[in-house]
Amino acid sequence: MILVEQGPHDFSDPAFDETILALPLEVQNDCNWGWKIGEYRHRQKAEAGRMLVVPAETESRWEVDGSRKILVLAVPNDTIRNVLGAACPRQIGAAFWKLCEHTWADPFIEVLMNRLWETTAGHEVAHDHLADGLLTSILSQLLLRAGTDLQPNTAIALPQWRLKRVKEFVDNNLGNEIGLEHLADAAGLSRRHFARSFYQELGETPHRWLMQERLEKAKELLTGTNASICEIAENCGFSSQSHFTTALKQSTGMTPHRWRQLFRR
């Protein structure tokens, strides 16, 4: 979650494995807000309190001719799956799609967003529990606004205990070359069965998921250690520093150096 102050801009964002909610808090008079999300285009006058969702796995382009202060919440797909459990839709982006067609006001979500932002400054354990509850409420209200009907998924393609074994294997071997056969062995399944079940359960291929795991660990090392970019690339299993740079730029639009500059703790 970040608070952003923006001037006029015209740029594109790549597709992320995150559902992004943008809430304008302050808007310059006569500021116009134009966007293209997927194949959908729209342009209107920007107003404080009128928010918008960018669905996961969706590229977007933005044209804004004034200044704004925006509160942005980015929720990774894995977090949404953990919150919704067996009722999580297979296609997370599609579940929120109606919320990108136009801006809308929701006083309840606005209050929740501001309170969630306040909890990020807290250090008590109770703040963590409060944040979990606020996030669950925000996601639930968004799904209600989107008209998404959640149905419990009783046919579990890849049980959590198998997925946990895969994640533990990856965590312990992230710096090594990991192929589909290694992941399948960790899950105790054949390669074909594992690949099919993994995609059915998580909505993405094992290769893409593994790349995201490497990138998440690399981002942690960039912001929390003094390790060189070359060392981080090696420790996270990238074939080279240039491979790491290309992968991070495709995912976030930023080089490792730029990411470290912006988010260094």
Side-chain angles (χ1 to χ4, degrees), residues 129-142:
H129 291 294
L130 177 58
D132 288 344
L134 290 167
L135 179 59
T136 300
S137 297
I138 290 171
L139 290 174
S140 299
Q141 181 70 356
L142 288 175

Side-chain angles (χ1 to χ4, degrees), residues 37-68:
I37 299 177
E39 298 302 317
Y40 188 84
R41 296 176 180 268
H42 196 71
R43 185 174 180 84
Q44 67 182 59
K45 183 178 179 180
E47 299 179 47
R50 294 194 64 84
M51 59 196 88
L52 186 72
V53 164
V54 181
E57 314 291 350
T58 308
E59 295 183 0
S60 58
R61 180 172 180 82
W62 307 92
E63 297 178 6
V64 181
D65 60 13
S67 299
R68 302 178 302 167

Side-chain angles (χ1 to χ4, degrees), residues 6-34:
Q6 293 180 325
H9 57 269
D10 181 348
F11 64 80
S12 296
D13 278 334
F16 295 105
D17 295 328
E18 300 172 333
T19 298
I20 300 172
L21 173 60
L23 168 63
L25 301 178
E26 299 176 9
V27 178
Q28 177 183 333
N29 289 337
D30 299 322
C31 171
N32 294 302
W33 187 8

Side-chain angles (χ1 to χ4, degrees), residues 87-256:
C88 184
R90 295 287 189 194
Q91 302 298 325
I92 292 176
F96 296 94
W97 185 258
K98 285 189 177 296
L99 302 181
C100 74
E101 295 178 349
H102 54 79
T103 61
W104 38 271
D106 189 314
F108 181 52
I109 291 181
E110 188 170 354
V111 170
L112 295 173
M113 283 278 285
N114 280 288
R115 187 68 185 96
L116 183 58
W117 174 249
E118 292 170 3
T119 66
T120 61
H123 302 289
E124 300 292 334
V125 173
H127 284 115
D128 294 335
H129 291 294
L130 177 58
D132 288 344
L134 290 167
L135 179 59
T136 300
S137 297
I138 290 171
L139 290 174
S140 299
Q141 181 70 356
L142 288 175
L143 290 166
L144 289 171
R145 287 197 65 94
T148 300
D149 184 19
L150 299 182
Q151 296 292 335
N153 174 24
T154 56
I156 300 176
L158 190 65
Q160 283 299 310
W161 66 270
R162 290 190 188 273
L163 185 58
K164 182 179 179 181
R165 285 170 51 177
V166 173
K167 289 182 176 180
E168 289 175 348
F169 172 81
V170 169
D171 288 342
N172 294 328
N173 296 275
L174 199 60
N176 302 322
E177 182 177 350
I178 300 175
L180 179 61
E181 64 276 10
H182 300 115
L183 300 178
D185 285 344
L189 299 171
S190 69
R191 291 177 55 181
R192 177 177 295 183
H193 187 187
F194 172 75
R196 182 175 63 251
S197 299
F198 191 96
Y199 185 82
Q200 288 175 349
E201 193 64 31
L202 274 70
E204 58 185 348
T205 65
H207 175 77
R208 183 164 186 172
W209 172 82
L210 177 59
M211 177 58 70
Q212 192 60 37
E213 292 293 299
R214 295 191 191 280
L215 286 172
E216 290 303 317
K217 182 60 178 180
K219 287 189 284 189
E220 289 180 15
L221 295 176
L222 284 171
T223 58
T225 74
N226 293 319
S228 70
I229 293 173
C230 182
E231 290 173 331
I232 292 173
E234 182 177 354
N235 291 337
C236 293
F238 292 95
S239 60
S240 64
Q241 180 176 332
S242 62
H243 179 209
F244 170 40
T245 299
T246 299
L248 186 66
K249 194 166 185 180
Q250 288 177 342
S251 176
T252 67
M254 287 182 271
T255 64

Side-chain angles (χ1 to χ4, degrees), residues 77-91:
N77 286 351
D78 283 347
T79 300
I80 293 177
R81 293 187 185 101
N82 289 335
V83 170
L84 299 180
C88 184
R90 295 287 189 194
Q91 302 298 325

